[in-house]
Amino acid sequence: MAVRQDAGGTPERVDGGPTTWVYLFDQLDKIETERKPKDWEAVRTLLGGKGANLFEMTRIGVPVPPGFTVTTEACNAYLAADRSFPEGMWEQEVEAMRALERASGKRFGDAEDPLLVSCRSGSKFSMPGMMDTVLNIGLNDQAAQGLAKTTGDPRFVFDAYRRLVQMFGCVVMGMPDEPFEAVIEEVKAERGVHGDDELDADEWQRVTERFKKLFRGFTGNDFPQDPFEQLELATRAVFNSWFGKRAVDYRNATNIRHDLGTAVSIQVVVFGNMGEDSGTGVAFTRNPVDGTHEIYGDYLMNAQGEDVVAGIRNTKAIKDLALEMPDVYAEFAAICERLETHFKDMQDVEFTIERGKLWMLQTRNGKRTARAAIAIAVDMADTGLIDKREALVRVTPEQVDMLLHPQFSDVVKAEAAERGERLVEKAVNASPGAAVGRVVFDADTAEAWGKRGEAVIMVRPETRPDDVHGMIAAKGILTSRGGATSHAAVVARQFGVPAVCGADALRISVDRQQMSVERPDGVITVNEGEWISIDGGTGEVYLGELATHAPDFEREEHLRTLLVWADEVRRLGVWTNADYPRDAQRARGFGAEGIGLCRTEHMFFEEERLPVVQEMIMARNRERRVDALKRLLPMQRSDFEGLFRAMDGRPVIVRLLDPPLHEFLPAYEDLLQELADLKVRLQHFHTLSEIDEALTKVREKEDLLARVGELRESNPMLGLRGVRLGVMLPEVTEMQVRAIMEAASRVVQDGTAVHPEIMVPLTSDLGEFKVMAEIIHRIGSAVEKETGVTVPYKVGTMIEVPRAALTAGAIAAEAEFFSFGTNDLTQTTYGLSRDDAEAKFLIPYVEQGVIEENPFQHLDRSGVGRLIEIAVTEGRAERPDLHVGICGEHGGDPKSIEFCHMTGLDYVSCSPYRVPVARLAAAQAAIWHPET
């Protein structure tokens, strides 16, 4: 019978019997009989990751203290019923305790040798430290006295009892931890000792009594003496902790669903604090920092588990256990190897040694750094523990991305935050990586300081295309406006520059060369030249210089190996967006197979060219415009020649000029202010020469203002740009095509293959494209006749507006390739302005659940994606060999890459630093969707 799935994903009973809420660790077979889970993930959903692994360790014979698990299904039912246990659950838990009594030979609540248990949380996905645990349940006044006599070790007993009172008070009753710790510190001070392990039995007994008084004072009740009352309240506390703030915040940060619930595992307590032949520890079966195949961890003798992780005592390195207890260590190492082989992944284990006997308390897949994740996956595949495809899906694209950008460690950031140096806690994490530099507020200063070797962070309210030179020179970019696909974000990712955008808490004054933020402790002001540190991966900003570490791709051997395996699997090509030879060379080093987007407008903003571009724009007639274009021609030709040589025979798609012309001129409002200032200063001149010079400047500024006014548009994004600009000013297209083809001819003559593809931007009608195609072919033929060199080339178009997608069949009759510009296609499909939307409502939409995702970060499959599917299907129906790719920012997003694979695109194109990410994401898409 098929397994039915409830909302939380747990497998329901399929035999019609009453719900089983509680299972003993040795009842995995019972679960399989009653519920017939379809796979191990369903078991993990039911029992939580911790519980499922305890069941499995029990089954394979690893020494695990007996116990049972209350299912996540019970937790969800409890929460849904206004925090009431579901019918039959508590009775099953009591019966399970009777089973533990039989297994251990001890009785829960016995006055002389009581059974003690721990109560631990455990959801399907590991959430270390986010939910609650209570140890030593079952101790009370009578049992403590009896156990002290039975064991002859009252110090151990009252150490265990005070732990129960403290944990019960904090976890179950919500008491603050500080009063308990203050009592311990006071007793240690009275004794004149520093470590908890130096307190004797009488002192721990006194601590316990004082803890119980604290408990009574806070709750109004005595500490519960009934062991079953302790167990019931602890179970409720663990269930309740599922919606504790830290657990909710953690799930939000890690994209874990809120409907999974937590299981509760009740386990017989084994004691590591029974003397010097007892101990406890936490270890990883491999090094979680760099992936080295070695046991990595810490332990303590004569301690309980929380002592290791709480930092109460200085721990010992796990390798020292081999010297201290060689037989125990040998058994532990063998179990670690066995667990890793069984679960086929690095394990994070907890263990206790009770009077020389080793017990395993937990195993789970261990958390690891990006570097370790990659190294472990590759090593396990090399040794045959997993296959290459499994290795490819073990590593996330985000881990690849993290490895390739300079980073701040969590420790460094935490220390800075403690010093009060965190300036912005959370803004848009626009371009990953860490950057440290001096604050500058304009592009020219950024470039000038950068040239003299200064590390700078360029800070702006937002960036414009004419800021590119400063952005390239900067180590990082910080803006108070804009989102993940704003100009600053797009260009930053293009050049691998860390960026934080939309930090609206900042008040940036470019005029005063300072920024400030208001905090509860006052206003913090940062002036030009002062140091800040930004984390583009998290959207945080810090005062001062934080230490970073930068990876070297050439030295990342494990990553390079993994990506070679990815290339063997993926169907999608991975190209890059590159405007300069240095970007192309960098992308090739990362494995790019072509250039999917060369944006020619970025070349126009370079310092020596912008005046010529502005002269061309200011020209009132074609003759003067052509004259300026002739001077631009050799510059453009040189650009393309460098790109073709850098790509060495790989395809290069060059997009013809796309933005409206006014973007190359000063802003209208700035010109108005400058003109007003000139006229004011004119009144203070006295000599004729001064007046004539000033009047000349006024007239020049008035001409420039008039031309900018003529070019101004109400909605420039939908105005005279792209294909429309080419149709209206064909001489611009002629110059660019000539530059492309002449450059290609020169490179071919030098013996290097060239495959140029010329792309028309913003086509919405076949007629527009035909006009542009005629110009391209005419100039291409002319260059061929002039040079005597035949260079095969393609002519295609960007699909950026819905009409182009809906009429793709007609356009494909003329166009040889399509490239989806998904940034503009998303804007025009949604009918919104990207920057305005992210600044005003799009982010709140996501936060409030109005929409699931920001469509500029992850491609909107149901709307934009549907248009892409239509265009691909109808375009290939007309032209079966139509080459189709994507060159928007979505080309580097793993979720969007998956869609591109499923839709049958030929390639994705992304910024150079995203190429390794795209290679892995494309391989994972091929593994997950082999049918496409």
Side-chain angles (χ1 to χ4, degrees), residues 590-887:
F590 287 140
E593 300 162 309
I595 291 179
L597 176 63
C598 169
R599 291 164 287 207
T600 54
E601 60 269 13
H602 282 178
M603 303 167 180
F604 286 178
F605 281 107
E606 293 194 2
E607 190 173 349
E608 73 278 10
R609 304 178 188 193
L610 189 56
V612 184
V613 174
Q614 292 177 340
E615 183 182 333
M616 181 269 291
I617 296 170
M618 293 295 293
R620 298 288 183 173
N621 57 60
R622 188 178 190 277
E623 182 180 356
R624 291 184 61 188
R625 191 157 44 246
V626 169
D627 181 67
L629 288 167
K630 285 179 179 178
R631 280 179 283 147
L632 282 174
L633 174 62
M635 301 178 192
Q636 283 262 276
R637 184 172 57 226
S638 175
D639 294 329
F640 299 136
E641 197 172 329
L643 279 175
F644 294 148
R645 293 188 191 281
M647 293 310 292
D648 193 22
R650 292 165 179 80
V652 176
I653 296 179
V654 179
R655 183 179 71 183
L656 299 175
L657 191 62
D658 182 41
L661 292 180
H662 76 83
E663 288 199 9
F664 299 98
L665 299 175
Y668 187 82
E669 291 77 11
D670 292 344
L671 286 173
L672 276 176
Q673 184 62 54
E674 291 170 11
L675 183 59
D677 292 343
L678 279 174
K679 290 180 176 179
V680 169
R681 287 201 294 271
L682 182 61
Q683 299 173 18
H684 300 287
F685 294 134
H686 302 292
T687 68
L688 285 176
S689 61
E690 287 177 332
I691 294 172
D692 285 344
E693 183 180 351
L695 285 173
T696 299
K697 290 181 179 179
V698 167
R699 284 192 291 269
E700 290 174 352
K701 194 69 70 175
E702 287 175 337
D703 288 344
L704 184 56
L705 180 65
R707 184 60 172 151
V708 171
E710 292 171 8
L711 294 172
R712 289 183 83 197
E713 297 176 298
S714 298
N715 191 343
M717 188 188 79
L718 300 178
L720 183 62
R721 53 170 287 217
V723 64
R724 302 155 194 166
L725 187 63
V727 171
M728 299 305 296
L729 298 176
E731 55 270 25
V732 175
T733 302
E734 291 169 355
M735 182 277 290
Q736 290 200 294
V737 174
R738 177 168 287 277
I740 294 168
M741 299 310 296
E742 287 182 356
S745 299
R746 291 186 179 191
V747 175
V748 168
Q749 286 175 321
D750 290 342
T752 300
V754 179
H755 298 285
E757 302 185 19
I758 301 173
M759 183 159 66
V760 178
L762 208 71
T763 296
S764 60
D765 187 89
L766 176 61
E768 295 174 312
F769 183 80
K770 282 183 174 181
V771 172
M772 294 292 283
E774 185 280 325
I775 297 171
I776 294 167
H777 290 309
R778 171 166 50 82
I779 299 299
S781 297
V783 172
E784 181 177 347
K785 289 178 183 177
E786 293 165 11
T787 62
V789 178
T790 299
V791 178
Y793 63 93
K794 292 182 180 180
V795 181
T797 187
M798 288 186 84
I799 304 293
E800 302 172 85
V801 296
R803 191 179 191 281
L806 296 172
T807 60
I811 294 172
E814 301 290 335
E816 297 172 273
F817 67 88
F818 287 168
S819 180
F820 292 97
T822 51
N823 295 340
D824 277 353
L825 186 57
T826 299
Q827 291 189 92
T828 54
T829 300
Y830 272 88
L832 51 78
S833 162
R834 176 180 64 199
D835 288 348
D836 290 338
E838 289 192 320
K840 296 295 196 319
F841 63 86
L842 203 54
I843 304 306
Y845 268 26
V846 175
E847 292 172 347
Q848 296 170 21
V850 177
I851 58 176
E852 290 186 6
E853 297 175 324
N854 182 339
F856 294 107
Q857 292 183 337
H858 306 298
L859 194 141
D860 161 43
R861 297 190 182 190
S862 57
V864 176
R866 181 73 186 112
L867 289 172
I868 291 174
E869 290 171 339
I870 291 170
V872 171
T873 300
E874 296 192 3
R876 285 185 173 152
E878 174 64 33
R879 184 186 291 268
D881 62 348
L882 184 72
H883 204 236
V884 183
I886 183 174
C887 64

Side-chain angles (χ1 to χ4, degrees), residues 93-112:
E93 190 167 347
V94 170
E95 179 54 38
M97 284 299 304
R98 300 303 180 203
L100 293 191
E101 290 177 330
R102 293 190 291 272
S104 66
K106 298 181 179 182
R107 190 168 64 84
F108 195 46
D110 187 82
E112 295 183 359

